[in-house]
Amino acid sequence: MRTSGSCEQQGGCPVNEPAAPHAPGRVGDVRRRNLSLVLDSIARTGDSKPSRAQLAAGTGLTKAAVSSLVADLVESGLVAEVGLYRDGERGRPGQGLELSSRRGVVGMEINVDYLSVGLVDLAGNLRFSASIESRNRGLAPDAVMARLAGLAAEARAAAGADGISIMGGGLAVPGLVDEQRGVVLSAPNLHWQHERLDPQSLLDGAPLGVRLSNEANSAALGELWYGGGRPDFLYVSGEVGVGGGVVVGSELYTGPGGNAGELGHMVVHPDGPPCSCGGAGCLETFAGQEAIFQAAGIAEGSFKERTELLLRALDAGTPAASMAVDDAGRYLGVALASAARLMDVQAIVLGGHFAVLGQWLMPALAGSLERHAPGLLDPKNLTVSRLEHSGTLLGAAGQVIRSVIESPLEFLLAAKLA
């Protein structure tokens, strides 16, 4: 699945029409590409709010063409005009352009012990978020989806109150997925195997529907687009399980079968304990959230309560808590050393509970990496995500936002049909 990049590099973006051969360069194709070019240029400028004249200079299109394209984008609600300023000494003042704050996407996450949603506008601002603790392990998917639907309704209500029109949504789960069929192929920590979901029911009527994705991959994309991520890095997601997302050349690499990045099931101890995947000695049995709680002697309470107890114990220097986190860091280092050698990884970003535990985890992790792969990774390229747990929501929503930026005409058609 392609998740980022230029539509021009791919010969134009797809629309809902038959894939029949046609002559290149027809008017519809040119306009489709140019709409994407202009919208992408506005998105890339961030806070600078370019004028039509600046867009024309930057894209190489004529001012008349840019004005026509911008008019369509403004009318569709994807772009907003802001302010007045002069580009130079002469001429009329120009209006700045930015991605509209009145269009949004709902990011949603199912995890083992919680559910969460976030409303993200086109510029990537998290406008609303909510989460609830939910013991989802072993629950039927329909029951979990019913709970999540309640949170999705809260996001829709928040959008309505702020005058934001929802374009679509993204749903991330901690397992391998078949996005096209809406099937969770394997989510060991949820005890789900080949379970069909109905993501579209969460946001009924949204023009672009709801996309299903892997939690770690979504978090990696959230880091890439909204966390100041580099163009090449390995993202490590820490939850009950441990996941990974590989980004190469600002593209998510998922492998031929879509399963690349399953860091949590790398074997770090051949004689280690059994894992939920059916194997033994996997990284998540030492560095997963539940493994750390158990090793620290924190067995009771909700996820939030146990996290607070762990952090207090670490602040106090409690030996069991310190040893649990040190062991997690050491085994994580073993896995990352192997991954870095295998994939020539130059940078690693830690998210989820690894980000929360960063100050206590990092010394053992850095020492383990240096022991098992001396000199391979520059310490300054081992960082903690600033997004923490919001990265998954931002990435799940961001995939839909990027699809609109890459093919605004597809959104326009979908919105008319909705």
Side-chain angles (χ1 to χ4, degrees):
M1 178 184 68
R2 190 169 167 273
T3 53
S4 62
S6 168
C7 289
E8 296 177 290
Q9 296 169 343
Q10 303 297 321
C13 297
V15 293
N16 295 328
E17 60 186 21
H22 56 266
R26 68 182 185 180
V27 174
D29 292 335
V30 172
R31 191 163 187 82
R32 182 185 300 118
R33 289 194 295 270
N34 287 344
L35 277 169
S36 175
L37 178 61
V38 170
L39 189 57
D40 186 61
S41 297
I42 295 171
R44 291 178 184 275
T45 56
D47 295 330
S48 63
K49 300 176 177 53
S51 67
R52 289 166 174 79
Q54 290 170 330
L55 286 173
T59 61
L61 300 173
T62 66
K63 291 183 179 180
V66 167
S67 292
S68 174
L69 295 164
V70 167
D72 283 351
L73 293 171
V74 170
E75 183 180 1
S76 72
L78 296 177
V79 168
E81 296 175 311
V82 289
L84 287 171
Y85 63 90
R86 291 189 179 277
D87 291 332
E89 293 295 325
R90 300 179 180 179
R92 292 179 299 175
Q95 281 188 303
L97 300 165
E98 65 179 5
L99 296 179
S100 174
S101 61
R102 298 303 181 184
R103 295 283 189 183
V105 174
V106 179
M108 296 168 280
E109 181 183 2
I110 294 173
N111 221 300
V112 177
D113 46 17
Y114 67 87
L115 301 170
S116 63
V117 300
L119 175 64
V120 183
D121 67 23
L122 275 180
N125 301 305
L126 187 62
R127 304 287 294 273
F128 166 84
S129 64
S131 63
I132 57 171
E133 293 200 8
S134 178
R135 297 181 182 274
N136 300 319
R137 191 194 305 270
L139 279 185
D142 287 349
V144 176
M145 292 288 282
R147 292 181 182 178
L148 183 59
L151 284 181
E154 291 185 28
R156 297 191 81 153
D162 280 350
I164 298 173
S165 175
I166 293 176
M167 301 184 296
L171 171 60
V173 299
L176 306 179
V177 303
D178 181 334
E179 177 189 349
Q180 299 304 318
R181 295 191 298 135
V183 174
V184 178
L185 300 174
S186 176
N189 287 312
L190 289 173
H191 297 171
W192 290 1
Q193 296 290 325
H194 294 279
E195 296 286 358
R196 185 178 297 277
L197 305 182
D198 182 14
Q200 314 313 320
S201 66
L202 297 169
L203 295 174
D204 187 44
L208 298 180
V210 179
R211 297 178 62 164
L212 183 64
S213 64
N214 170 266
E215 170 266 328
N217 285 343
S218 290
L221 289 171
E223 183 67 26
L224 172 67
W225 294 325
Y226 307 118
R230 309 159 187 263
D232 305 280
F233 64 94
L234 170 62
Y235 181 89
V236 185
S237 172
E239 301 288 347
V240 169
V242 177
V246 184
V247 174
V248 180
S250 296
E251 298 274 354
L252 180 68
Y253 175 75
T254 59
N259 301 332
E262 280 293 289
L263 192 75
H265 298 293
M266 289 181 65
V267 176
V268 294
H269 192 314
D271 300 317
C275 179
S276 62
C277 72
C282 296
L283 174 62
E284 76 171 42
T285 65
F286 296 97
Q289 170 185 289
E290 188 63 32
I292 294 174
F293 285 147
Q294 292 290 342
I298 303 173
E300 300 296 330
S302 67
F303 164 71
K304 182 178 180 180
E305 292 168 343
R306 296 168 86 189
T307 299
E308 291 174 350
L309 287 172
L310 177 62
L311 294 176
R312 286 203 295 269
L314 289 168
D315 273 331
T318 303
S322 298
M323 184 175 295
V325 174
D326 282 350
D327 283 347
R330 182 162 54 87
Y331 282 110
L332 180 57
V334 172
L336 292 178
S338 298
R341 290 191 185 280
L342 182 65
M343 297 185 293
D344 192 26
V345 170
Q346 300 296 309
I348 295 169
V349 181
L350 305 179
H353 72 252
F354 294 136
V356 175
L357 299 175
Q359 70 182 89
W360 298 281
L361 182 86
M362 199 64 79
L365 170 56
S368 182
L369 272 171
E370 184 58 26
R371 177 185 178 189
H372 297 290
L376 185 63
L377 187 74
D378 189 325
K380 72 175 183 293
N381 291 335
L382 177 62
T383 58
V384 169
S385 174
R386 295 173 299 169
L387 302 178
E388 294 187 358
H389 290 286
S390 68
T392 300
L393 296 177
L394 289 167
Q399 293 176 68
V400 180
I401 292 171
R402 288 304 308 175
S403 75
V404 172
I405 292 172
E406 292 177 357
S407 186
L409 186 57
E410 182 178 349
F411 167 72
L412 298 182
L413 293 173
K416 287 179 181 178
L417 295 172

